[in-house]
Amino acid sequence: MQVSGLVWSLTVVGVIGLIAFDFYFHVRRAHIPSLREAAAWSAGYVGVAVLFGLAVFVFGGPDVGAEFFAAWLTEKALSVDNLFVFLVLLGSFKVPRAEQQKVLLFGIVFSLIARTGFIFLGAALINSFAWIFYLFGLILLVTAGSLLKGDDSDDRSADNVIIRMARRFVRTSEEYDGDKLFTVRDGKRVLTPMLLVMIAIGGTDILFALDSIPAVFGLTQSVYLVFTATVFSLLGLRQLYFLLDGLLDRLIYLSYGLAAILAFIGVKLILHAMHENNVPFINGGDPIDVVEISTGASLIFIVGVLVITVVASLLSPKGRAQTYVAAARRHAKEFLDIETDPKYCDEIYHRLVIEEEHLRSLPERYRARIRQESELMDLLRRAHALHERRVDAGTCFSVASRPLV
């Protein structure tokens, strides 16, 4: 697919314009997006991606259109996996919810810059070395295996090497100062945790790019399609975070679905490498006559796996129990350690009460297991005790509730 310089320029200007619009009209003023706002903007970004894909289908042909949609869906699914890590990072750094939008937007912008570099590097490697498809395929197969085993790299935690270096060589504070990146403590200018969490999200996203870029090149070798699929998967990710929030923990089989998709694309890449083979010690450097997987078949497989994964997760009783437990734990921690705004504290406590009602609605075998989770039980007891003290002090409204324990 040949793309003119004018089209490239218009695309880049459009992306910058969307990011600027997002910042000046939504993120610059710290606030907590409502469910309606998050849903509307998430749907809007998905709609823009679909319209762009239809335009590619019309002007580039069915095969090119299928390549874009397959790449976009894969990147979108992988970006949802990113949200799990973002959730851990934001919780670990105790980022106030009203300030989370700015952190997420920074992560998206950093990701776009880093992934654009990886995309052009990947394209250069593909053009220079046909054997690179073998390497990309192996990377995806290894990544799929790690997803099946449930391995979590320390580099993706809230205490990764980038953060440890920042804490070691730069003065940092333990408290936030609104959404400021720097503050003054004891007469000295120091970093706030806001900048540290931005560094953490940016650093971990580099690791995600190492997984996702080879996957997209396994579906299309067009640099323009890889770039636009990546852009449209990341734009709207901030709104999707607030929209999915409590549903993220419900997708208990997402890692298995992503593992299947990455393994499928890995096999597709290796088959393509064999078909284009020029490695001297493989078949004497001659191409190998193997069956290649078409783009249409790839698109059908990706859509099918995602549908099965999501439906199975939503229908699973285990997933429902896990969702309620994770939401109750998260709301209790927010109420106890993170939020200081009395108005939002009331909202958080109300959500906690709702999640406890959900827990009480579970079958007895799940409730018995939950009562054995001492950490969760302690969090809930402390949250109820703190709420009672705040009600007595007049800083919180009374909310009718009965402790789970």
Side-chain angles (χ1 to χ4, degrees), residues 16 34 43 79 116 138 172 182 214 223-224 241 258 278 283 291 300 311 329 339 343 362:
I16 294 173
S34 65
S79 69
T116 298
L138 289 174
T172 61
F182 296 89
V223 176
Y224 183 76
Y241 173 85
L258 291 177
N278 60 5
N283 197 40
V291 176
I300 293 171
V311 171
R329 179 182 289 110
E339 293 300 334
K343 186 181 298 183
L362 294 171

Side-chain angles (χ1 to χ4, degrees), residues 236-256:
L237 189 60
R238 175 182 61 80
Q239 293 87 343
L240 189 63
Y241 173 85
F242 290 96
L243 177 63
L244 292 182
D245 195 6
L247 289 177
L248 281 174
D249 299 294
R250 188 70 173 267
L251 301 176
I252 60 173
Y253 299 124
L254 179 63
S255 60
Y256 298 104

Side-chain angles (χ1 to χ4, degrees), residues 373-386:
E373 295 191 26
S374 58
E375 181 201 3
L376 175 62
M377 294 298 100
D378 180 61
L379 281 172
L380 297 178
R381 289 191 192 95
R382 288 167 51 205
H384 285 288
L386 177 59

Side-chain angles (χ1 to χ4, degrees), residues 237-296:
L237 189 60
R238 175 182 61 80
Q239 293 87 343
L240 189 63
Y241 173 85
F242 290 96
L243 177 63
L244 292 182
D245 195 6
L247 289 177
L248 281 174
D249 299 294
R250 188 70 173 267
L251 301 176
I252 60 173
Y253 299 124
L254 179 63
S255 60
Y256 298 104
L258 291 177
I261 291 172
L262 292 179
F264 175 84
I265 299 174
V267 171
K268 184 177 187 294
L269 277 169
I270 292 174
L271 289 175
H272 179 72
M274 294 170 68
H275 191 266
E276 302 291 331
N277 180 63
N278 60 5
V279 179
F281 55 84
I282 298 178
N283 197 40
D286 295 326
I288 304 173
D289 187 17
V290 294
V291 176
E292 288 204 77
I293 302 172
S294 68
T295 302

Side-chain angles (χ1 to χ4, degrees), residues 126-140:
I126 288 171
N127 290 331
S128 301
F129 310 103
W131 53 263
I132 201 68
F133 286 110
Y134 285 115
L135 179 60
F136 283 178
L138 289 174
I139 289 174
L140 295 183

Side-chain angles (χ1 to χ4, degrees), residues 164-342:
R164 291 196 293 271
M165 290 180 62
R167 291 188 187 276
R168 180 177 179 181
F169 295 107
V170 184
R171 297 193 195 94
T172 61
S173 69
E174 298 297 328
E175 298 83 25
Y176 288 90
D177 187 4
D179 60 358
K180 295 179 180 178
L181 303 182
F182 296 89
T183 189
V184 177
R185 290 288 183 270
D186 300 326
K188 297 179 180 179
R189 188 175 177 84
V190 297
L191 295 176
T192 68
M194 181 66 70
L195 185 56
L196 289 180
V197 70
M198 287 182 175
I199 294 172
I201 286 181
T204 54
D205 201 78
I206 292 176
L207 297 177
F208 283 120
L210 295 176
D211 297 340
S212 65
I213 298 304
V216 183
F217 272 116
L219 297 167
T220 176
Q221 277 81 65
S222 168
V223 176
Y224 183 76
L225 291 184
V226 173
F227 174 76
T228 51
T230 301
V231 166
F232 284 117
S233 71
L234 292 175
L235 291 177
L237 189 60
R238 175 182 61 80
Q239 293 87 343
L240 189 63
Y241 173 85
F242 290 96
L243 177 63
L244 292 182
D245 195 6
L247 289 177
L248 281 174
D249 299 294
R250 188 70 173 267
L251 301 176
I252 60 173
Y253 299 124
L254 179 63
S255 60
Y256 298 104
L258 291 177
I261 291 172
L262 292 179
F264 175 84
I265 299 174
V267 171
K268 184 177 187 294
L269 277 169
I270 292 174
L271 289 175
H272 179 72
M274 294 170 68
H275 191 266
E276 302 291 331
N277 180 63
N278 60 5
V279 179
F281 55 84
I282 298 178
N283 197 40
D286 295 326
I288 304 173
D289 187 17
V290 294
V291 176
E292 288 204 77
I293 302 172
S294 68
T295 302
S298 301
L299 181 58
I300 293 171
F301 180 84
I302 292 167
V303 172
V305 168
L306 290 177
V307 169
I308 293 172
T309 298
V310 172
V311 171
S313 296
L314 295 178
L315 295 180
S316 167
K318 178 182 176 182
R320 187 157 57 97
Q322 184 170 309
T323 301
Y324 297 155
V325 168
R329 179 182 289 110
R330 185 162 62 252
H331 294 328
K333 287 182 177 180
E334 281 185 306
F335 185 74
L336 288 167
D337 301 329
I338 301 177
E339 293 300 334
T340 56
D341 185 343

